């Protein structure tokens, strides 16, 4: 497996920042500043093709190259966990993920995930994403429910990943948000990147961000709440949650981007209801629907009865 590489050209606005801080803030994956400092000390970071120290202050135009070393071998144990399979064949499996299940293992968290369950159920998953993420071509958050697909071989993985990159996968979500949205539909086209004040979070920002587009339609209104259908054009981390907060209608139950008052829910009221893609082998378009989870249905019943 090849080392994962990241490359940046420093812009004028980032000049004079320490290189360890710069990399920590600009890296898409979760990595602590101390981890970045270890990579620098071990020679995995170069500036303009030369070695560098953690306290180096970057300059405008600097070319920074990070080669992330392969992680130490981690044994992922297949686990007989409940798995609601919406579809399965020799190439792909589609699962309706429950609230509270993490999609793939991470260092220090190697059990109880969807990957552990898939490894027990399938026996065969693609290896493109490495040992921690076998078969995984896209993710949904731990407390988001609904449909997610996984690839059983590398050919299928490459096909599904290409469709995601081309934005041709049909991903539609249902979400309950705070506030009464007056217009029936709209599009949020706002770039998303790391929050400079807390790198574990994401925010709408022009700095070190990627384009993010979310289309929404109001399905039902409940006075001070709205039920939306949302279609993802891009797939940034926390995209729907960040975009809805950005326009002033945060998700109900969202512990990070939502409001603390009002209706309580164990996690954000967000459900991946529709997943459609072209089958990697047959070329046939396939679409799957997952019913709303019981806790969201109960919430809507309460709102309708007020």
């Amino acid at each position: 497996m090849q080392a994962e590489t990241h490359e940046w050209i420093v812009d004028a606005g980032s000049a004079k920042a320490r290189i360890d801080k710069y990399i920590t803030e600009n890296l898409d994956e979760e990595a602590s500043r101390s981890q970045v400092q270890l990579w620098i000390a071990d020679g995995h970071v170069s500036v303009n093709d030369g070695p560098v120290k953690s306290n180096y202050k970057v300059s405008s135009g600097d070319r920074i190259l990070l080669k992330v070393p392969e992680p130490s071998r981690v044994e992922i144990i297949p686990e007989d966990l409940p798995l609601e399979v919406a579809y399965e064949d020799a190439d792909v499996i589609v699962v309706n993920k429950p609230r509270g299940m993490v999609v793939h293992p991470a260092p220090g968290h190697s059990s109880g995930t969807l990957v552990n369950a898939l490894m027990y159920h399938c026996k065969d998953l693609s290896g493109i994403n490495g040992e921690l993420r076998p078969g995984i071509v896209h993710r949904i958050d731990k407390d988001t429910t609904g449909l997610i697909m996984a690839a059983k071989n590398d050919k299928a993985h490459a096909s599904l990943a290409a469709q995601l990159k081309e934005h041709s996968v049909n991903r539609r979500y249902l979400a309950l948000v705070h506030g009464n949205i007056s217009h029936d539909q709209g599009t949020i086209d706002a770039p998303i990147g790391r929050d400079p004040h807390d790198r574990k979070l994401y925010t709408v920002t022009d700095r070190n961000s990627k384009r993010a587009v979310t289309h929404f339609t109001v399905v039902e209104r409940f006075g001070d709440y709205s039920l939306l259908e949302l279609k993802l054009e891009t797939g940034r981390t926390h995209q729907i949650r960040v975009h809805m907060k950005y326009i002033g209608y945060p998700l109900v139950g969202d512990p990070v981007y939502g409001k603390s008052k009002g209706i309580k829910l164990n996690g954000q009221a967000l459900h991946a209801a529709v997943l459609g893609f072209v089958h990697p082998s047959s070329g046939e378009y396939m679409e799957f629907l997952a019913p709303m989870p019981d806790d969201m249905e109960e919430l809507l019943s309460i709102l309708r009865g007020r």
Side-chain angles (χ1 to χ4, degrees):
M1 186 175 139
Q2 285 187 325
E4 183 181 351
T5 61
H6 300 269
E7 183 178 343
W8 301 275
I9 302 297
V10 178
D11 59 30
S14 300
K16 297 187 179 180
R18 278 179 55 121
I19 190 167
D20 54 352
K21 185 172 186 288
Y22 179 91
I23 292 175
T24 303
E25 290 180 349
N26 286 279
L27 197 61
D28 288 340
E29 293 81 11
E30 285 291 336
S32 66
R33 191 163 170 180
S34 57
Q35 174 64 75
V36 171
Q37 289 170 348
L38 283 174
W39 287 337
I40 294 171
D42 291 340
H44 298 295
V45 174
S46 65
V47 175
N48 303 326
D49 298 321
V52 72
K53 293 184 178 180
S54 293
N55 62 356
Y56 173 77
K57 301 287 183 67
V58 300
S59 299
S60 178
D62 274 354
R63 175 179 173 267
I64 300 171
L65 187 65
L66 162 65
K67 294 185 177 180
V68 179
E70 289 187 33
S72 55
R73 193 169 184 83
V74 178
E75 185 180 5
I76 308 296
I77 300 173
E79 295 180 69
D80 187 8
L81 303 171
L83 204 59
E84 185 180 334
V85 178
Y87 175 81
E88 182 179 11
D89 63 21
D91 293 304
V92 65
I93 181 170
V94 178
V95 175
N96 185 11
K97 188 189 81 66
R99 191 183 307 281
M101 178 179 265
V102 175
V103 169
H104 60 75
H109 185 84
S110 60
S111 64
T113 73
L114 179 63
V115 163
N116 296 100
L118 287 172
M119 288 180 68
Y120 181 91
H121 177 86
C122 298
K123 315 302 181 192
D124 51 349
L125 291 168
S126 75
I128 288 178
N129 269 345
E131 294 175 344
L132 292 179
R133 305 179 188 181
I136 300 302
V137 290
H138 69 124
R139 292 177 287 176
I140 54 178
D141 295 336
K142 173 186 175 183
D143 290 324
T144 297
T145 59
L147 297 170
I148 181 170
M149 59 185 172
K152 288 190 167 187
N153 54 66
D154 289 357
K155 178 186 173 185
H157 192 126
S159 171
L160 297 174
Q163 292 179 55
L164 285 163
K165 188 175 182 179
E166 294 163 1
H167 312 310
S168 61
V169 175
N170 184 14
R171 288 177 291 171
R172 295 181 184 271
Y173 291 73
L174 291 172
L176 184 67
V177 301
H178 289 276
N180 191 319
I181 301 181
S182 58
H183 34 294
D184 292 338
Q185 57 189 25
T187 294
I188 309 161
D189 187 344
I192 290 175
R194 293 276 186 187
D195 188 329
H197 305 294
D198 186 343
R199 67 171 308 274
K200 292 181 180 179
L201 306 183
Y202 292 82
T203 189
V204 170
T205 174
D206 289 324
R207 184 181 177 189
N208 301 316
S209 56
K210 294 180 179 178
R211 188 181 184 218
V213 181
T214 306
H215 307 282
F216 69 86
T217 302
V218 177
V219 177
E220 197 171 350
R221 293 182 176 88
F222 309 95
D224 46 357
Y225 297 92
S226 301
L227 178 66
L228 308 180
E229 181 187 72
L230 303 111
K231 178 175 173 54
L232 285 183
E233 188 172 316
T234 55
R236 308 304 174 208
T237 302
H238 298 174
Q239 178 172 319
I240 289 174
R241 300 165 66 187
V242 170
H243 269 174
M244 295 316 299
K245 176 187 178 183
Y246 175 66
I247 66 169
Y249 300 96
L251 268 63
V252 169
D254 191 326
V256 176
Y257 302 103
K259 295 180 177 180
S260 59
K261 60 181 181 179
I263 293 175
K264 300 294 182 184
L265 191 69
N266 188 26
Q268 60 272 3
L270 183 61
H271 175 62
V274 177
L275 180 63
F277 55 89
V278 173
H279 191 276
S281 292
S282 70
E284 175 190 357
Y285 177 75
M286 311 180 76
E287 189 170 281
F288 304 95
L289 285 77
M292 198 179 293
D294 291 343
D295 56 358
M296 279 185 69
E297 284 284 12
E298 290 169 9
L299 201 50
L300 295 180
S301 295
I302 292 169
L303 291 175
R304 290 183 184 116
R306 290 194 311 179

